[in-house]
Amino acid sequence: MEEGRLCQWSVCRSLLAIVQWWGFNVTVIIINKWIFQKLDFKFPLSVSCVHFITSSFGAYMVIKVLKLKPLIVVDPEDRWKRIFPMSFVFCVNIVLGNVSLRYIPVSFMQTIKSFTPATTVILQWLVWRKYFDWRIWASLIPIVGGILLTSITELSFNMFGFCAALFGCLATSTKTILAESLLHGYKFDSINTVYYMAPFATLILGVPAMLLEGNGIMEWFETHPSPWPALVIIFSSGVLAFCLNFSIFYVIHSTTAVTFNVAGNLKVAVAVLISWMIFKNPISGLNAVGCGITLVGCTFYGYVRHLLSQQPPGTPRTPRTPRNRMEQLLPLVNNNDKLDDKI
């Protein structure tokens, strides 16, 4: 009887973790798109900077003030040799995600971000000469095919936004690969990752944001009919972005790797559906089919990696990503990522 109650509580806890993760993730994506489209605040660098600043403050509060998470101590030398390069790639990843969201619909952007497994495998194969089972390569076929179909049939196609999303996938893959070598020996969780990387990202992006978008923001402030309520929404998106990092930490420790993979792909479908209901961007039948094929391919890819990770020692297989490493490689909070960065 007691075991049954524990099992029910475990299931309820997993469902609660997934629902709150979905809620924060979809809300961040929708609010950011709302900022660019409805508030006419077309400054992705500044939006990213706001996210970095609020996430830096939030991580400091959680670790130093509230002490909800223990601080993972990093040597001062390693902060510049290891954390700073990772922060730069992380910053590029977040900015490219926001830039793509500025120019293309949420549905298209989310589908392109699903290309990340393919870019990660290809980069590891080309640069690190890592072995991958033929089933991994086979699982990439529907991902690539679905994205091609979606791109060809996208009614709101924008080349600049498309390239930003595609290079964002490369940045996410690069960050994931670099983490294996640069962060070796440190077992970061999502909150400690934000604590160390967000301040560096603010330092990197602050000056370019002011130089490139400062004048435009001043003009927007003078011409917008309700600038102060709009600013509240913009800063709220940063707070929610940090909350998303906290929700990622919770969901990883409440679900299995397979459940996390499936829930991540379903989350994309939920984000696409809700964004279509709000912004009414046109989606053709073939475009929806391409998006569906991509998500099925991502789910199959995650399932294949899980199967290969369960093979006995000595069997040739794809390198496994440990559970603690999985959290470290999560996107801090980008507005798109499933297992990439999110700020």
Side-chain angles (χ1 to χ4, degrees):
M1 191 69 171
E2 192 67 27
E3 291 183 0
R5 289 180 179 177
L6 289 175
C7 183
Q8 288 179 349
W9 165 243
S10 179
V11 172
C12 290
R13 183 187 178 194
S14 297
L15 288 175
L16 179 62
I18 291 171
V19 168
Q20 57 89 32
W21 175 44
W22 281 7
F24 281 120
N25 191 283
V26 174
T27 303
V28 168
I29 294 172
I30 298 301
I31 287 184
N32 283 352
K33 186 63 177 177
W34 186 277
I35 290 169
F36 295 132
Q37 185 169 320
K38 300 295 185 180
L39 299 183
D40 202 35
F41 191 84
K42 304 182 185 301
F43 309 105
L45 299 185
S46 299
V47 171
S48 301
C49 231
V50 168
H51 287 192
F52 294 146
I53 292 170
T54 53
S55 293
S56 299
F57 178 76
Y60 180 85
M61 291 295 295
V62 168
I63 293 176
K64 290 289 191 176
V65 179
L66 301 177
K67 300 187 184 300
L68 298 177
K69 283 290 297 178
L71 175 66
I72 296 175
V73 180
V74 177
D75 294 336
E77 185 178 356
D78 283 345
R79 294 186 185 186
W80 289 99
K81 286 187 176 180
R82 298 189 183 190
I83 304 297
F84 185 79
M86 284 293 301
S87 301
F88 180 80
V89 179
F90 160 69
C91 179
V92 171
N93 177 39
I94 301 301
V95 169
L96 288 174
N98 281 329
V99 169
S100 67
L101 198 60
R102 156 79 173 79
Y103 289 98
I104 59 178
V106 172
S107 56
F108 191 30
M109 182 268 290
Q110 288 281 286
T111 304
I112 297 172
K113 288 297 293 183
S114 299
F115 191 57
T116 301
T119 56
T120 303
V121 169
I122 292 170
L123 282 177
Q124 287 182 316
W125 177 67
L126 287 175
V127 180
W128 271 264
R129 297 297 179 184
K130 284 191 175 182
Y131 164 83
F132 288 96
D133 189 275
W134 69 270
R135 287 169 288 183
I136 288 289
W137 292 105
S139 68
L140 298 180
I141 294 175
I143 297 177
V144 176
I147 289 175
L148 286 175
L149 179 60
T150 303
S151 302
I152 294 171
T153 59
E154 176 57 48
L155 300 177
S156 304
F157 185 86
N158 179 282
M159 180 57 72
F160 188 73
F162 171 77
C163 291
L166 194 60
F167 281 107
C169 292
L170 290 173
T172 300
S173 300
T174 302
K175 181 184 67 65
T176 302
I177 295 170
L178 286 178
E180 296 182 6
S181 56
L182 291 179
L183 300 184
H184 179 71
Y186 292 105
K187 297 181 179 180
F188 282 122
D189 52 61
S190 58
I191 305 301
N192 273 275
T193 303
V194 174
Y195 178 83
Y196 283 108
M197 291 190 185
F200 275 135
T202 305
L203 182 67
I204 293 167
L205 190 60
V207 174
M210 286 189 292
L211 292 177
L212 296 175
E213 298 179 347
N215 292 333
I217 292 175
M218 294 304 296
E219 291 178 9
W220 172 87
F221 201 90
E222 293 174 357
T223 57
H224 196 278
S226 305
W228 293 109
L231 286 177
V232 171
I233 295 175
I234 293 169
F235 277 92
S236 296
S237 72
V239 175
L240 289 171
F242 171 73
C243 292
L244 175 56
N245 284 285
F246 211 86
S247 73
I248 290 172
F249 168 77
Y250 179 49
V251 77
I252 285 176
H253 289 272
S254 302
T255 62
T256 64
V258 175
T259 302
F260 186 74
N261 173 59
V262 175
N265 291 300
L266 289 177
K267 177 206 68 182
V268 174
V270 171
V272 169
L273 177 61
I274 294 178
S275 70
W276 175 79
M277 293 171 64
I278 294 175
F279 299 106
K280 304 296 183 182
N281 56 288
I283 300 177
S284 66
L286 284 176
N287 190 264
V289 170
C291 181
I293 292 173
T294 303
L295 295 183
V296 170
C298 289
T299 304
F300 181 55
Y301 167 83
Y303 177 69
V304 168
R305 284 194 68 100
H306 175 71
L307 285 182
L308 294 174
S309 70
Q310 302 303 311
Q311 291 183 356
T315 305
R317 58 182 175 89
T318 300
R320 181 184 179 186
T321 302
R323 188 179 185 87
N324 60 357
R325 174 78 72 178
M326 181 175 72
E327 191 181 325
Q328 164 191 327
L329 303 186
L330 281 175
L332 281 180
V333 177
N334 186 323
N335 319 301
N336 352 325
D337 293 336
K338 276 188 294 254
L339 287 178
D340 3 66
D341 267 309
K342 280 222 175 271
I343 266 200

